[in-house]
Amino acid sequence: MYTGRRVVHLYVGLVLYGASDGLLVGAGLGLDPWDVFHQGISERSGLSIGLVSIIVGAAVLLLWWPLRQRPGLGTVSNVFIVGLAMDGTLRLLPDVHSLGIRIPLLVAAVVLNGAATGLYITARFGPGPRDGLMTGLHRRTGRSIRLVRTGIELTVLVVGFLLGGGVGVGTVLYAVAIGPLAQYFLRVFEIPQPAREPVPVVAVPADPAVLP
């Protein structure tokens, strides 16, 4: 039951994460740093943004080898499911042009992303490839998580923008809101770990002669 709930959290969370990314793209008001990078490559290559996300995720996962990071089920699943869910959402989402629709769509996408983050992290099946890169560089360089994450995200944001990725108010909203939202939903979706059974105490006879 415990493991089954974790699996549900993992895969529902990853699907919703990809869907939220698709909604961000559909809103057209700016993306999170990694998706700015993915969209920039998509614009230059002609590949769908979801496929680019899969390719980039796989490439980032290869960087784990020199960093001695070990992927889990959640890591590998993240590479494929998020990109597929993003492309699927974009196929179903009609073109929207009115700000009266795009702004609520942006807000819904950011909130859904926070909920999805809470779901797949509480599953505890390993970090996504990009988060693993961050923690791996933190361990190898000794720099703080905040500094490493900021450096990585600024790099992909700038490169993605130069390639034609969308930067806007949505990028700022995501940066400001995703931390508090993720923290809130981590508490909402927390899965209590099963209590460990106490180790039985075996009485040892005082006289060694009676030991078996």
Side-chain angles (χ1 to χ4, degrees), residues 63-64 66-69 129-142 145 148 152:
L63 297 177
W64 282 33
L67 296 174
R68 297 181 180 178
Q69 294 279 93
R130 296 158 186 81
D131 289 335
L133 175 64
M134 173 187 67
T135 55
L137 287 173
H138 157 68
R139 289 172 53 193
R140 292 298 296 271
T141 64
I145 286 285
V148 172
I152 292 173

Side-chain angles (χ1 to χ4, degrees), residues 110-135:
V110 173
V111 173
L112 182 61
N113 193 279
T117 300
L119 276 167
Y120 86 77
I121 289 180
T122 54
R124 294 192 293 271
F125 278 114
R130 296 158 186 81
D131 289 335
L133 175 64
M134 173 187 67
T135 55

